[in-house]
Every structure is written in C-alpha cells, then in structure tokens.
C-alpha cells in the first residue's frame, strides 16, 4: 500500500484543461481536473499513459543513412533505422549542420516554421524558443497564418479592418443568452472542439452557455452535413447541407432578404461599402442568374421553401449568424466568411446585443467566453533578419519548388531554397495535406532536425532526433489565449530517459555556436518564469487587475482575472457611431465590395463574395469516380494527433483503426457493415479505417477525423497504404485562393470499399528499428 508521504500533487495545465498531477513514488499516476472547471475534458485522463508510453524517445538518435552518407541518404527518410548517440554527439552534429548551411547558403536556407500546438506553457513554447534561438543565429524562414484559420486571417481584415471577428473577442455568450432569439450556425457548434484551447484551458463552459441560451428561449439551427455538430440538448433544427456549398446557401438567404424587402437598407447605406455592386450580382443583373432560393437549393441539396422560411425567420428576430472555422478550410474558403458577414449586414444587426455575426463559436475553447484582460507572458524573440516567410500551408510547395513564384494577399512572392528544416513542436505529418506529396517534399532538404517526446511520423522522417521533455517534466507558466486564468505549471516528475527541455537543448547549441549569453541572458528556468510572470503582472496592474507576487502565485498554483461586468458586443461602438469609431478598412466601413481585393485581379477571389465552384465537391465530374465527400474533423478523444497512442483515443478506434462515419444507405450500397475494416481511397492515396454507420450524416458524405498517426504499410514508400486511417493521406494540398493560400482539406472526394481478408496490424505506436553505429 502506498504511503501518503510518497504522494505529491503539482498544479499544472494542458491545452485540454488545468489539473493537479498526482505523483506516487516519483511516478505520475493521475490528473485530477481543476476544481473550478465546470466541464473538464476526459482527454486529461490520457496524460499519465502518454508520459511513459513505449513510443517515448529515450535518448538522441540519428538516422543510420545520415550518419553514413549525410544528405545523399535523403531517400531513406521514413524507412531507415536509427542509431542512439550521446547528447554531445547529437548537439555537435546539429551545430555543425547549422553552421555549414549558414556559411554555404545563408540563413534563408533554414526553415524554422515549426507550426503546431506543441504543449502548453509560455517559457517552453516550442515555436517561440526555437525562433528565439534562430534569431540569434542570424534568422530563418518562418510561416504566416494558421492551418485553423488561414483563409479567415486573410479575408476578414479586408472586410472588417482586423481579425477580431475570427480570433476574438467576439460577442459574448452572455449577450446571446440575454438578447438572442435565433442562432444560425454554419458548421454547427461542435462540443468536441470546446475541449481544447490554444496555450491551455482553465474552464470549459460551452455546454453551460448552450443550456442557458436554450432555456432563455433561443432557438438553434445546425447547418452542417453532420447532425452531431450541435448538441441535441438545444433541440436544434438540422439542415443537412452538401459540403462546400455554404456560400450558395447564404446567397439564397440573402436573395430572399433583398427581394422581399427584408434587408436593412439603412444599415447597408450607413455602415457598409459596396452593397449596390454586390446586389447586382445577387439579383442576377450581371450574369442573368439570380442567386435565389431555387438556385441555392440545386447546389446545396436543401429545399427552396426551407431556405426562404429561414431567411424570413432570421429577419423577424434578433439573430446571431455564426460560422465554424472549418468552413474556410475548403477550396475558396474565403468566400463563406465574406458572405456570412454580408448576410449579417443585410439583417442589420451587427453591433447589437446578441445579434450580428461571429466566426469560431464552437471551434475552440473560450470563443465567446470571458475575455482575458492582459496578454500572456511571452519569451522575447530577436527580430528575424530573414524577411521571407511562407503561408503556413504551403510547406510542400516550398520544398518542391525552390525559387518558384506564387501570389499571396496582393504580393508576388518566391519560395526560398531550403537546405535545413528545424522542427520543434507540432507535427506536419498531422497538419499538412496530401501526405504522399509531403513525403516526397520532405526528401528535398539536406538536413532535418526534430525535437520530439514521441516517435511520431515527423520524428521518423528526421535525420537527427532530439528527445524533448513533456510539460510534466519541467516548470513553466501557462494560460489560455481565451481564458482568464494564469497557472503555475509545476514540474511533477523527473525527465523520462535522457529527455531535455527545448530551452536547455537550444542553450547547448547556443554555447557551441557562440551566443549563449545573448540566448539565456543569465537566467535559468525558474529565473525566466519569475521574470515573465512579473512583467505580465505589471501589465495587469496597468489594466486595473491585481495579481499576487510570484512567490504567492507559485505556491497557490494559479491566479485569475475577474469576469467583465458587461457582456462584450462585437462592433458595438462602430454601430453606434461609424464616424467616430470607423473600421480600419479603406472606407472605414464593412467592405461588402473590396476595391483592394479587386485590384489584385484574382479570379479565385474576386472583389466581393461570390459563389465559386470548388475543385472537388459532390457536384463535380470527379464525383463519378470518387462519389463521397470526406470531412476531416477534429477528433473527440485527443487534440489533433496528440495522445492518439493513449487509451482515451484508442477507445474510439474500430478494429484498431480510425473510425469513418458513413450514412447507412451509402454503407448498404457498398456491402459495408458496422465494424468492417474499409479501404478509403482517391488518386492521392489510400488508408484503412473502421466503419461506423449513422443516420446522422448526410448521404454522400463521410467523416474521418484527423490525427491518426501516419502508419504506411511500407515505410518511406510514396503511395503506400496507410494502415491506421490518417485522413491527410487523402486531403487536397491546394491553396484556398491566391489571396490566402490556406489549406483546402475539406474539399476532398473519396471512395470507400470493404476489404476482405486479415488487415495488416497497426504499428504506428511502435518505435522504429534501431541500429548500432
């Protein structure tokens, strides 16, 4: 029996919740949710298993081919065995490669984008500490934007003047509960997304907000191919729309408002620019095709009377129009967000309590919740001397086409010639589309260095692999970007194996490269944590928020900011007086027509919201060969690919594979039964998945969540069958448009067939083969 004297508890947090780490005899055994979290996530329960899982990287490793032949062995990435080496040997190799590439090709040949969620914590935030180190090394090529909202971050500032409508703060749920009569949610309000938040979550509240709004009389409409994208507790009306046609539905709704005299023309005249030009398109004066309900019905698969009825209901009550971030992750993803803002402007409720629009409710924890009064502590980074960055989702294009020309948000740009990739935090073999294309692109750089706690596919495709600690094995300070708490992240256990934290790894490299003093500024881990806290504490005091001194904060484990006394309403000041509070657009108004975008001359993103036919959708000729539209959603039992190896995620697997949800009629037509292992395929690749049958998904649509660890049957082989069900083997690697160059993952057609015989075993979580030097 364990003695209580051998049990310790440490405050901590993760991107799925704050908790106390329970440690017995030096071993992390349980995560007890933060007492003030009303809806803690079950994902927390995966953490102890993850720390000690067999997939942990125990020491530095170097790919055997790289040790023997250097860059000439690039074709062996993903297939070669790995050789364990000492830390000194590994750091010497990395420092030598950084120095060599810089001397021979300059810093523009070093890519240090390292996009990804990494782990919670501000000092040990992987991308930040990497770019601090690289800044002192002379610079690096980075990334612009986000896989989650790349198209939105490009289009919304052109329309509203900034990104607040996408990133927050947006109109609060408290305002919706008090004033809203109807929420029309394009893409739904999926509860699974509310489990996770950028940099951490102190409290999960979406379920409570929805319950209170429903009890207050607010009605909900779920516009999504998937019924489960909105909680049944609010008794939503379900409009099972055809994927990628939301813009067409919004146009049909807008046509009804315009043609039946329901549009607020006073608001359009006083607060909007360019509506008249848009209306000419909407009514068909330009092309002879009115974008009416009948036209929209043919594209969306909905009924024209239902479209007209919804438009009338939206005009008759205080209405909040929302869009999930998922909508803009399809071909021409800029258009649904632009059109949603236009639709809300026609209703004339932007800036009113409980009305208008919001982008991202239900997409991530904290959207519409309590506002953070001050920013988070942030490790400073020196100015990057390399001016060339790429749009976040164009990694494969960059590696495959060095020097190639491309357009981005009005600028003509060229891809750099990358010789060294340094990846620290995140997992491109989860985030990026068309993994077979990425495998090919990943062979182009001369050297790839990766920091990882686990043998993910990214680690398995690296030349030098440095084992990183998890957050439980280090101290830090953390808080969610959309959360009012700040947490002490107290080290709970000693590092597993020879793992080191990223800050210390870079300190070792900085010493070898001659800038150690500039890099660490003479502070150790706790010195930096206290410094970052005190800087932010002073900022909080300036905002009228009192935080305790560092010693008290660290002892008590967290501090919090008070909730706002009045609910936030997006664009309230602008609505009240557009002359005194203009938007930061060229006109100072909402730009329904944008002369700036029109001047770019992009046929894939014209100067006003427009229906543009997606490259892949159920109305395309390609649907004859691949007749099912695949949605690659955020999973319910993990954060993207994080913790996929643990029991919480594995409990949702079917026959050890990622589950794929099919409509019962589609399954019956293919002879597929519940629990069958199926092959999902298109011209880009093929995966195995486990069949789940449902009446809650539109016919012709399948749902295969992202994040299953990539597990090719023949490692390193382009086109090899993925045994585990990684959706990004199948997704389209194409920019949303020349404006944003965002990912188009949700524009993907596939076919599904039942396999016969015994499927190959899943080996994604087993370490790669080892070799002796």
């Amino acid at each position: 029996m364990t003695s209580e004297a051998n049990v310790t508890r440490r405050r901590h947090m993760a991107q799925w919740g704050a908790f106390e780490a329970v440690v017995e005899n030096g071993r992390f055994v349980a995560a007890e949710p933060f007492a003030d979290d009303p809806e803690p996530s079950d994902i927390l329960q995966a953490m102890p298993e993850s720390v000690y899982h067999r997939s942990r990287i125990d020491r530095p490793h170097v790919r055997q081919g790289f040790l023997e032949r250097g860059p000439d062995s690039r074709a062996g990435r993903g297939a070669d065995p790995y050789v364990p080496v000492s830390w000194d040997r590994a750091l010497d190799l990395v420092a030598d490669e950084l120095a060599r590439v810089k001397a021979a090709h300059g810093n523009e040949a070093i890519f240090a984008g390292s996009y990804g969620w990494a782990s919670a914590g501000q000092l040990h935030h992987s991308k930040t500490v990497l770019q601090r180190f690289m800044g002192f090394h002379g610079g690096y090529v980075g990334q612009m934007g986000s896989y989650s909202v790349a198209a939105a971050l490009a289009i919304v500032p052109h329309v509203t003047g900034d990104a607040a409508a996408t990133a927050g703060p947006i109109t609060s749920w408290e305002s919706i509960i008090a004033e809203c009569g109807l929420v029309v949610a394009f893409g739904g309000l999926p509860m699974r997304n509310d489990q996770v938040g950028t940099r951490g979550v102190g409290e999960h509240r979406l379920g409570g907000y929805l319950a209170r709004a429903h009890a207050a009389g607010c009605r909900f409409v779920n516009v999504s191919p998937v019924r489960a994208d909105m909680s049944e507790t609010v008794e939503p009306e379900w409009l099972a729309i055809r994927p990628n046609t939301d813009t067409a539905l919004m146009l049909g709704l807008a046509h009804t408002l315009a043609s039946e005299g329901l549009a607020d023309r006073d608001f359009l005249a006083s607060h909007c620019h360019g509506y008249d030009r848009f209306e000419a398109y909407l009514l068909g004066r330009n092309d002879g095709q009115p974008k009416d309900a009948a036209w929209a019905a043919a594209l969306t698969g909905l009924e024209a009377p239902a479209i007209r009825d919804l438009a009338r209901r939206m005009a008759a009550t205080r209405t909040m129009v929302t869009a999930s971030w998922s909508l803009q992750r399809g071909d021409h993803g800029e258009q649904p967000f632009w059109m949603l803002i236009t639709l809300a402007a026609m209703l004339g409720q932007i800036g009113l309590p409980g009305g208008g629009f919001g982008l991202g409710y239900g997409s991530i924890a904290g959207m519409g919740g309590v506002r953070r009064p001050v920013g988070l502590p942030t490790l400073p980074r020196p100015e990057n001397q390399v001016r060339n960055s790429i749009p976040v989702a164009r990694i494969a294009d960059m590696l495959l086409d060095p020097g190639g020309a491309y357009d981005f948000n009005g600028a003509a740009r060229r891809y750099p010639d990358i010789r060294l990739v340094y990846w620290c935090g995140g997992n491109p073999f989860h985030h990026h589309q068309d993994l077979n294309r990425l495998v090919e692109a990943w062979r182009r750089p001369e050297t790839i260095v990766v920091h990882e706690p686990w043998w993910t596919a990214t680690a398995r495709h690296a030349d030098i692999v440095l084992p990183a600690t998890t957050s439980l094995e280090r101290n830090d300070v953390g808080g969610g970007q959309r959360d009012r708490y700040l947490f002490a992240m107290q080290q709970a256990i000693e590092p597993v194996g020879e793992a080191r934290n990223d800050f210390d790894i870079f300190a070792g490299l900085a010493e070898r490269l001659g800038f150690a003093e500039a890099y660490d500024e003479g502070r150790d881990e706790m010195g930096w944590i206290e410094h970052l806290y005190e800087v932010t504490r002073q900022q909080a005091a300036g905002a009228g928020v009192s935080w305790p001194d560092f010693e008290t904060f660290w002892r008590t484990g967290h501090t919090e900011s008070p909730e706002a006394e009045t609910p936030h309403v997006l664009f309230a000041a602008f609505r009240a007086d557009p002359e005194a509070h203009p938007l930061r657009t060229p006109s100072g108004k909402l730009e329904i027509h944008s002369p700036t975008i029109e001047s770019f001359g992009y046929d894939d993103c014209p100067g006003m919201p427009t229906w543009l036919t997606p490259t892949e959708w159920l109305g395309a000729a390609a649907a004859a060969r691949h007749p099912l539209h695949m949605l690659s959603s955020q999973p319910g039992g993990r954060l993207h690919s994080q913790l996929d190896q643990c029991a919480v995620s594995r409990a949702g697997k079917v026959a050890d594979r990622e589950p794929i949800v099919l409509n019962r009629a589609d399954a019956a037509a293919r002879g597929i039964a519940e629990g069958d292992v199926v092959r999902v395929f298109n011209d880009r690749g093929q995966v195995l998945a486990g069949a789940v049958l449902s009446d809650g998904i539109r016919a012709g649509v399948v749902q295969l969540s992202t994040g299953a660890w990539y597990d090719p049957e023949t490692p390193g082989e382009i086109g090899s069958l993925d045994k585990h069900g990684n959706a990004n083997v199948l997704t389209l690697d194409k920019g949303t448009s020349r404006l944003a160059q965002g990912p188009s993952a949700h524009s993907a057609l596939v076919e599904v067939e039942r396999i016969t015989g015994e499927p190959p075993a899943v080996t994604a979580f087993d370490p790669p083969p080892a070799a002796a030097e």
Side-chain angles (χ1 to χ4, degrees):
M1 187 172 182
T2 303
S3 168
E4 188 65 27
N6 294 326
V7 176
T8 59
R9 295 173 181 271
R10 295 287 185 267
R11 282 288 176 87
H12 215 75
M13 77 172 311
Q15 290 158 327
W16 37 88
F19 62 98
E20 278 195 341
V22 181
V23 178
E24 293 184 359
N25 296 317
R27 188 175 179 86
F28 176 35
V29 296
E32 295 185 353
F34 179 45
D36 291 348
D37 188 348
E39 303 165 23
S41 170
D42 289 342
I43 297 176
L44 280 174
Q45 305 314 311
M47 296 195 69
E49 180 184 359
S50 73
V51 170
Y52 305 107
H53 195 270
R54 67 180 185 279
S55 58
R56 278 299 298 263
I57 304 172
D58 61 347
R59 67 193 71 181
H61 285 75
V62 181
R63 186 170 57 81
Q64 185 179 41
F66 184 82
L67 273 179
E68 295 172 351
R69 302 187 304 282
D72 290 341
S73 69
R74 286 172 281 188
R77 289 181 184 142
D80 282 354
Y82 281 85
V83 178
V85 299
S86 69
W87 268 107
D88 282 342
R89 177 82 187 280
L91 293 176
D92 287 345
L93 282 171
V94 174
D96 288 347
E97 284 300 286
L98 286 167
R100 177 187 68 80
V101 170
K102 178 178 179 177
H105 307 287
N107 284 84
E108 193 168 323
I110 299 173
F111 180 66
S114 286
Y115 175 89
W117 283 68
S119 62
Q122 295 302 108
L123 171 61
H124 295 295
H125 182 251
S126 304
K127 181 176 179 178
T128 302
V129 72
L130 166 65
Q131 294 184 348
R132 177 178 173 83
F133 166 81
M134 285 295 180
F136 287 119
H137 185 56
Y140 55 91
V141 173
Q143 293 165 287
M144 301 172 288
S146 158
Y147 278 91
S148 295
V149 286
L153 291 177
I155 189 65
V156 172
H158 282 292
V159 182
T160 70
D162 60 34
T166 296
I170 54 179
T171 296
S172 71
W173 276 106
E174 295 294 348
S175 180
I176 295 171
I177 292 164
E179 302 287 348
C180 187
L182 179 66
V183 173
V184 180
F186 290 85
L189 298 166
M191 291 293 296
R192 63 181 180 273
N193 293 350
D194 187 62
Q195 295 186 93
V196 299
T198 313
R199 306 290 181 96
V201 182
E203 53 186 359
H204 300 81
R205 300 179 69 169
L206 180 59
Y209 288 139
L210 291 174
R212 289 172 57 204
H214 181 249
C218 186
R219 297 295 172 254
F220 291 81
V221 179
N222 175 24
V223 184
S224 170
V226 181
R227 185 194 298 274
D229 277 346
M230 190 176 291
S231 171
E232 289 297 322
T233 61
V234 298
E235 302 178 287
E237 175 185 349
W238 180 33
L239 297 182
I241 192 171
R242 183 176 288 154
N244 284 189
T245 65
D246 300 85
T247 301
L249 174 56
M250 295 175 200
L251 284 163
L253 294 167
H255 187 280
T256 299
L257 297 178
S259 62
E260 296 188 4
L262 300 175
D264 188 333
R265 293 190 175 273
D266 289 340
F267 183 84
L268 291 167
S270 60
H271 289 74
C272 303
H273 171 81
Y275 173 74
D276 289 346
R277 292 193 58 172
F278 169 75
E279 188 178 74
Y281 165 74
L282 179 69
L283 300 180
R285 295 176 187 148
N286 297 337
D287 57 9
Q289 175 59 69
K291 314 309 180 293
D292 58 16
W295 170 87
L299 294 169
T300 63
L302 303 175
E303 298 294 327
I307 296 173
R308 287 189 286 267
D309 174 68
L310 179 58
R312 294 164 187 155
R313 284 186 283 150
M314 293 168 72
T317 189
R318 185 63 55 86
T319 298
M320 172 60 71
V321 190
T322 81
S324 166
W325 288 349
S326 62
L327 263 65
Q328 49 86 66
R329 291 200 296 274
D331 196 18
H332 311 305
E334 300 81 6
Q335 299 308 312
F337 273 27
W338 199 353
M339 186 58 223
L340 182 131
I341 297 169
T342 301
L343 178 61
M346 293 177 69
L347 289 169
Q349 300 181 24
I350 294 173
L352 292 179
F357 74 95
L359 309 171
Y361 291 106
S363 294
I364 196 170
M367 292 297 284
V370 179
R371 288 170 286 158
R372 173 174 286 282
V374 294
L376 292 166
T378 302
L379 185 70
R381 290 172 284 185
E383 182 180 0
N384 186 5
Q385 298 302 309
V386 173
R387 303 303 180 191
N388 196 355
S389 292
I390 65 164
V392 66
R394 302 272 59 83
I395 297 173
D397 288 0
M398 172 187 71
L399 297 178
L400 290 168
D401 188 23
Y406 69 99
D407 291 312
F408 175 69
N409 209 355
R413 305 173 67 94
R414 289 193 176 275
Y415 290 119
D417 184 1
I418 297 299
R419 304 304 180 99
L420 186 148
V421 171
Y422 205 124
W423 205 275
C424 175
N427 181 3
F429 282 81
H430 156 70
H431 271 103
H432 202 68
Q433 286 67 60
D434 192 352
L435 291 189
N436 283 304
R437 187 169 185 260
L438 181 63
V439 169
E440 179 184 0
W442 214 244
R443 293 176 176 174
R444 301 301 177 92
E446 296 171 3
T447 308
I448 296 177
V449 182
V450 166
H451 295 200
E452 255 291 357
W454 299 282
W455 281 111
T456 64
T458 301
R460 293 169 184 262
H461 286 79
D463 300 318
I464 304 170
V465 183
L466 305 180
T469 53
T470 68
S471 70
L472 273 300
E473 298 153 59
R474 59 199 185 217
N475 294 294
D476 213 327
V477 57
Q481 290 183 335
R482 301 170 183 87
D483 198 270
R484 63 194 178 98
Y485 291 91
L486 193 70
F487 288 90
M489 298 175 59
Q490 300 161 344
Q491 181 176 344
I493 57 174
E494 292 299 312
V496 172
E498 297 181 17
R500 295 183 182 179
N501 68 59
D502 298 318
F503 189 91
D504 287 347
I505 294 172
F506 287 122
L509 290 172
E511 184 175 3
R512 286 165 169 79
L513 294 167
F515 51 86
E517 185 175 344
Y519 171 78
D520 66 22
E521 298 184 21
R523 296 187 183 97
D524 61 9
E525 179 184 69
M526 289 305 298
W528 269 108
I529 292 170
E530 182 172 358
H531 172 73
L532 295 177
Y533 176 83
E534 290 295 348
V535 169
T536 310
R537 181 187 176 211
Q538 293 172 16
Q539 295 170 350
V545 178
S546 178
W547 284 356
D549 60 62
F550 179 75
E551 182 179 350
T552 304
F553 163 72
W554 197 256
R555 184 178 65 254
T556 57
H558 78 278
T559 187
E560 61 186 282
S561 303
E563 297 196 36
E565 294 182 1
T566 58
H568 180 66
V569 177
L570 184 64
F571 299 122
F574 166 68
R575 181 189 182 84
D577 191 339
E579 297 297 326
H581 302 284
L583 302 180
R584 287 181 286 180
T585 59
S587 66
K589 300 180 178 182
L590 293 164
E591 299 224 334
I592 294 175
H593 170 261
S594 169
T596 300
I597 293 178
E598 186 171 66
S599 72
F600 298 160
Y602 297 157
D603 57 358
D604 55 4
C605 190
M608 60 186 175
T610 306
W611 164 253
L612 300 171
T613 305
T615 299
E616 293 188 22
W617 70 301
L618 292 175
R625 293 181 55 237
H626 303 117
L628 300 172
H629 194 121
M630 186 186 75
L631 303 176
S632 47
S633 58
Q634 161 66 22
R638 57 181 182 265
L639 167 55
H640 296 310
S641 64
Q642 289 191 50
L643 307 178
D644 188 37
Q645 74 273 45
C646 300
V648 175
S649 179
R650 296 199 317 272
K653 305 285 185 180
V654 176
D656 290 333
R657 330 281 158 168
E658 190 64 21
I660 183 169
V661 181
L662 301 94
N663 180 276
R664 292 186 187 280
D666 292 328
R670 292 162 174 78
I672 296 171
E674 184 86 17
D676 281 348
V677 177
V678 297
R679 185 174 77 101
V680 191
F681 61 95
N682 58 23
D683 292 336
R684 290 180 288 274
Q686 53 180 337
V687 307
L688 297 183
V692 174
L693 311 188
S694 173
D695 295 321
I697 190 167
R698 181 187 170 92
V701 180
V702 297
Q703 184 178 35
L704 181 65
S705 291
T706 64
W709 285 19
Y710 178 55
D711 191 21
E713 188 171 24
T714 304
E717 179 181 285
I718 295 173
S720 179
L721 173 72
D722 174 66
K723 302 176 291 181
H724 193 207
N726 187 308
N728 275 328
V729 171
L730 306 164
T731 50
L732 177 67
D733 187 14
K734 171 188 179 297
T736 51
S737 77
R738 287 181 285 169
L739 183 83
Q741 294 287 359
S744 297
H746 286 303
S747 296
L749 296 177
V750 301
E751 178 58 291
V752 179
E753 66 180 15
R754 178 178 176 272
I755 70 164
T756 58
E758 188 70 21
V762 172
T763 55
F765 308 130
D766 298 332
E773 188 171 357

